[in-house]
Amino acid sequence: MAELRIAYVPGVTPGKWLERWRERQPDIPVQAQMYDGGDDPRALLAAGTADLVFLRFADGAKPADATTHVIPLYEELPVVCAPRDHGIELYDDEVPFDDLAGETWLDPADYPPAAGGVAMALEVVGSGAGLLLVPMSVGRLHRRKDVVQKVVAGVPSTRIGIAWLKPAGDEPEDVRVQEFIGIVRGRGANSSRQPSVREREQREAAQAQRQRQRAPQDAPRAGSRKTGQRPGGKGGAGSGGGKRRGGPSRGRR
């Protein structure tokens, strides 16, 4: 079967799912690569260069459309990134966004992948030029010693989801895609909802059916003579053709 191709946005760590895939489907190679062209790599699905993509979208949004399925997976908390020794270090927990009024903010759009992306933006943060808001997973990916990060309250969070193409017309769903989605959703190796398990159960059921169909050939045929039975249907010893039982004896008195 063809290789399974996966793309994911920065901050997603698909390693555990890839490992489970390799354990359960050793005959089907899987390739995963990070997509640095933004938060929505569904163009790779349309181009035929990926079978599944992990994307990022605003919490509460419904990213599924006429051509793609999207399953939300988990929420990402927003963090504020500031230079070391900034006042946010004094907060033990979340930083209220209102407490950051008057701060200078960097715009992630000013740092596209060609210009270094979030890594470059955090370098600018470290220089003291401004603060930056990013999902926590992205902040951890590009952690720097000269930048401090704190969860910020009062800012919309983001979500990570997994997307794949809807079948065209009467085409069936790709069983490889369905198998991987089941792994991501936490289904066990023996879950009956996994395509590989259903296929195995169907194969075992078909084999059992063939065995049942062959079984009557080994059973005695109808009307066959039983062991110890005389030709003509008369029984052997112990049947009506043996010595008489009961009645007066005709021997000498």
Side-chain angles (χ1 to χ4, degrees):
M1 192 174 288
E3 178 182 57
L4 185 66
R5 301 160 302 171
I6 297 169
Y8 57 95
V9 294
V12 175
T13 53
K16 62 180 180 180
W17 300 316
L18 300 176
E19 185 62 29
R20 288 173 188 166
W21 174 271
R22 294 184 179 107
E23 291 174 356
R24 301 182 191 181
Q25 302 292 329
D27 297 330
I28 305 177
V30 59
Q31 176 189 5
Q33 61 180 1
M34 189 167 67
Y35 174 78
D36 60 3
D39 287 337
D40 191 345
R42 280 182 288 181
L44 301 179
L45 298 175
T49 55
D51 303 302
L52 286 155
V53 298
F54 290 91
L55 71 163
R56 179 176 288 110
F57 52 92
D59 190 23
K62 297 181 178 179
D65 55 30
T67 60
T68 55
H69 295 291
V70 179
I71 296 177
L73 297 177
Y74 57 86
E75 181 184 8
E76 296 179 303
L77 295 177
V79 295
V80 54
C81 305
R84 186 66 65 182
D85 298 329
H86 188 278
I88 67 170
E89 286 190 297
L90 300 177
Y91 289 81
D92 294 329
D93 200 359
E94 297 180 345
V95 179
F97 185 70
D98 291 344
D99 288 1
L100 301 173
E103 293 282 355
T104 300
W105 293 92
L106 303 183
D107 186 349
D110 294 335
Y111 301 90
V118 174
M120 177 57 70
L122 286 174
E123 183 175 340
V124 175
V125 170
S127 72
L131 308 187
L132 180 69
L133 282 174
V134 294
M136 180 183 289
S137 62
V138 176
R140 287 176 174 175
L141 178 64
H142 300 289
R143 188 179 296 277
R144 294 173 56 93
K145 293 182 179 180
D146 57 352
V147 172
V148 61
Q149 302 178 16
K150 292 284 185 177
V151 175
V152 59
V155 175
S157 59
T158 53
R159 282 193 173 271
I160 293 294
I162 188 168
W164 70 101
L165 286 178
K166 294 179 179 179
D170 296 331
E171 292 182 2
E173 293 276 5
D174 189 326
V175 294
R176 301 169 308 147
V177 169
Q178 294 301 308
E179 188 78 16
F180 190 82
I181 290 169
I183 290 174
V184 171
R185 301 190 79 171
R187 294 176 191 157
N190 296 316
S191 171
S192 60
R193 299 183 67 183
Q194 288 294 85
S196 59
V197 175
R198 290 199 300 268
E199 182 181 354
R200 185 180 71 237
E201 291 175 345
Q202 291 170 359
R203 187 169 59 248
E204 291 173 351
Q207 182 179 1
Q209 178 66 20
R210 289 193 295 269
Q211 291 175 346
R212 287 194 295 269
Q213 291 173 347
R214 288 197 299 266
Q217 299 177 4
D218 300 329
R221 295 180 180 178
S224 63
R225 192 173 64 201
K226 296 182 179 180
T227 303
Q229 185 176 12
R230 294 181 178 179
K234 295 181 179 181
S239 68
K243 294 181 180 180
R244 293 182 181 179
R245 297 181 179 179
S249 174
R250 294 183 181 183
R252 287 184 296 178
R253 296 172 180 246

